[in-house]
Amino acid sequence: MDQEQRDWLKARRQLLRTVKDQVRRRLGSDPADLHAYTVEGRGLLRRKYRVSSKSEILAEIDSADVVYGGDFHAHGPAQRTHLKILRHLAVERPVILALECFEARAQKWIDAYLSGRFDLSTLKARTKWDESWGFPWEQYRPLVELAKKKNWKIEAIGVPKEGTVGRGGLARQDRETAGRLRHLVLTRPAALIYVIIGELHLSRLPAVFRKEMGRVRRLREVAIHINAEAVYFELASKGLEHSVDVVRYSSQPKRDPVVRFGVISSPPWVPWQSYLLHLDHTVDLNWEESDEDDEDSADYDPTDHIRRLVEWIAQDLGLSVKTVHSCHRLSQRSCLPSWRGL
């Protein structure tokens, strides 16, 4: 690896750290259990791996009982990864799509939608999507539509927010989710259960689920991780980040019997940028709702994010750019950036 490539990697690692820092400034430091899950997840994905393919993922799913699909909620390509896999399933058995994005108490509304009693917009309203989940509906809608088209069951496995906050919140969520999955396995033993849940849960949930099942039944499990940072940067150091999009992690049958794959759908800083945009959008909306009489209240403005990206791109290209910190109309001459070095 030459110096130019090392500088390239260093700049992108710095970009990832910068975006994560911006997220933490908005949310505060990670709670202890979130930090523990993050560290454990990183360790899990630092094992050896080899180049794989989507066809190998599909072949493993064909004989699996449960699939754990990692999700980065604010990042559309994460949901689209699972959508693509689900569209290509060739299993001749029932499929249950177990979704964290719907709280369990919304199950009656999901069943009503799948039976044709009302449309998607009504489902979104009845399940109180924006209040209970809050991430972009349009990113999850195709999964719901596909399930209805394929005549699959959707199982709501989400835990209300009040049950996940505070000390041990993630562990409580894993236990509740494992209990619901156990019920599905026992009541629909022939079905393939495809779980879509936050990426962090893929480190502990399978073990919690196996403990919940006990000796009732031995299951074959597959996990699909999304955008592992260590894998991306290792591939990038070899110039393979654009040619390899699926890896298979080495098996550890005794310690971790789950068959684990990693899918690279985007560089690791992009999901965090999506999350940052989501957070700032939510903050802007809350400000507007709390100040409805403000005549200057406007729609979400991503100017700051665009400015940061322009500055980073300019730095990466070795350009000098003078940015504008306040702009209300593109017709203003002051809104036009001044470029030097072109």
Side-chain angles (χ1 to χ4, degrees), residues 81-134:
T81 292
H82 298 299
L83 181 67
K84 291 174 184 177
I85 292 171
L86 289 164
R87 281 175 174 166
H88 287 88
L89 288 186
V91 294
E92 297 181 358
R93 51 179 166 149
V95 174
I96 300 174
L97 195 54
L99 300 178
E100 180 194 16
C101 60
F102 290 113
E103 293 181 3
R105 55 192 174 191
Q107 189 64 51
K108 62 179 180 180
W109 303 121
I110 294 172
D111 293 342
Y113 164 75
L114 293 175
S115 65
R117 287 171 51 191
F118 48 67
D119 60 13
L120 273 169
S121 60
T122 304
L123 175 65
K124 180 185 177 185
R126 296 283 179 87
T127 58
K128 299 182 178 180
W129 177 273
D130 292 330
E131 297 89 342
S132 63
W133 188 242

Side-chain angles (χ1 to χ4, degrees), residues 92-220:
E92 297 181 358
R93 51 179 166 149
V95 174
I96 300 174
L97 195 54
L99 300 178
E100 180 194 16
C101 60
F102 290 113
E103 293 181 3
R105 55 192 174 191
Q107 189 64 51
K108 62 179 180 180
W109 303 121
I110 294 172
D111 293 342
Y113 164 75
L114 293 175
S115 65
R117 287 171 51 191
F118 48 67
D119 60 13
L120 273 169
S121 60
T122 304
L123 175 65
K124 180 185 177 185
R126 296 283 179 87
T127 58
K128 299 182 178 180
W129 177 273
D130 292 330
E131 297 89 342
S132 63
W133 188 242
F135 293 99
W137 166 254
E138 290 303 313
Q139 295 174 187
Y140 290 86
R141 177 181 55 79
L143 291 166
V144 178
E145 291 177 317
L146 179 66
K148 185 174 183 181
K149 179 181 178 181
K150 296 280 192 178
N151 198 30
W152 294 344
K153 177 178 174 56
I154 295 177
E155 186 74 13
I157 61 169
V159 177
K161 291 179 181 178
E162 56 268 23
T164 63
V165 297
R167 186 175 181 180
L170 289 173
R172 286 195 298 274
Q173 183 178 356
D174 280 348
R175 289 194 296 271
E176 289 195 35
T177 301
R180 294 192 178 102
L181 295 179
R182 182 180 189 274
H183 174 76
L184 289 176
V185 168
L186 295 179
T187 57
R188 302 286 295 275
L192 166 66
I193 303 172
Y194 197 112
V195 183
I196 298 181
I197 193 168
E199 173 71 27
L200 285 179
H201 293 282
L202 269 59
S203 60
R204 294 188 183 181
L205 176 59
V208 176
F209 176 50
R210 286 193 297 276
K211 183 177 180 181
E212 182 76 23
M213 288 297 297
R215 298 180 179 274
V216 174
R217 179 180 166 189
R218 188 172 182 176
L219 301 171
R220 182 168 175 77

Side-chain angles (χ1 to χ4, degrees), residues 24-122:
R24 291 191 179 97
R25 287 195 198 108
R26 288 153 177 79
L27 296 179
S29 58
D30 292 342
D33 61 338
L34 180 61
H35 177 72
Y37 269 68
T38 301
V39 171
E40 188 171 331
R42 285 176 184 165
L44 182 70
L45 300 185
R46 287 188 182 277
R47 67 175 72 172
K48 293 181 180 180
Y49 62 84
R50 61 171 174 80
V51 175
S52 183
S53 64
K54 291 184 175 68
S55 60
E56 188 174 6
I57 291 179
L58 292 170
E60 288 292 344
I61 290 177
D62 189 56
S63 59
D65 298 294
V66 180
V67 177
Y68 305 98
D71 187 22
F72 200 106
H73 310 317
H75 189 49
Q79 295 89 49
R80 287 195 292 275
T81 292
H82 298 299
L83 181 67
K84 291 174 184 177
I85 292 171
L86 289 164
R87 281 175 174 166
H88 287 88
L89 288 186
V91 294
E92 297 181 358
R93 51 179 166 149
V95 174
I96 300 174
L97 195 54
L99 300 178
E100 180 194 16
C101 60
F102 290 113
E103 293 181 3
R105 55 192 174 191
Q107 189 64 51
K108 62 179 180 180
W109 303 121
I110 294 172
D111 293 342
Y113 164 75
L114 293 175
S115 65
R117 287 171 51 191
F118 48 67
D119 60 13
L120 273 169
S121 60
T122 304

Side-chain angles (χ1 to χ4, degrees), residues 19-32 34 38 72-74 135 161 165 200 271-272 274-283 286:
V19 179
K20 285 185 176 182
D21 286 344
Q22 290 168 352
V23 168
R24 291 191 179 97
R25 287 195 198 108
R26 288 153 177 79
L27 296 179
S29 58
D30 292 342
L34 180 61
T38 301
F72 200 106
H73 310 317
F135 293 99
K161 291 179 181 178
V165 297
L200 285 179
W272 286 92
S274 298
Y275 191 29
L276 185 61
L277 281 164
H278 170 75
L279 289 174
D280 285 356
H281 189 186
T282 303
V283 169
N286 288 340

Side-chain angles (χ1 to χ4, degrees), residues 307-319:
R307 174 179 58 79
R308 282 194 292 267
L309 286 173
V310 168
E311 290 173 343
W312 180 79
I313 292 170
Q315 181 182 7
D316 196 50
L317 295 175
L319 303 175

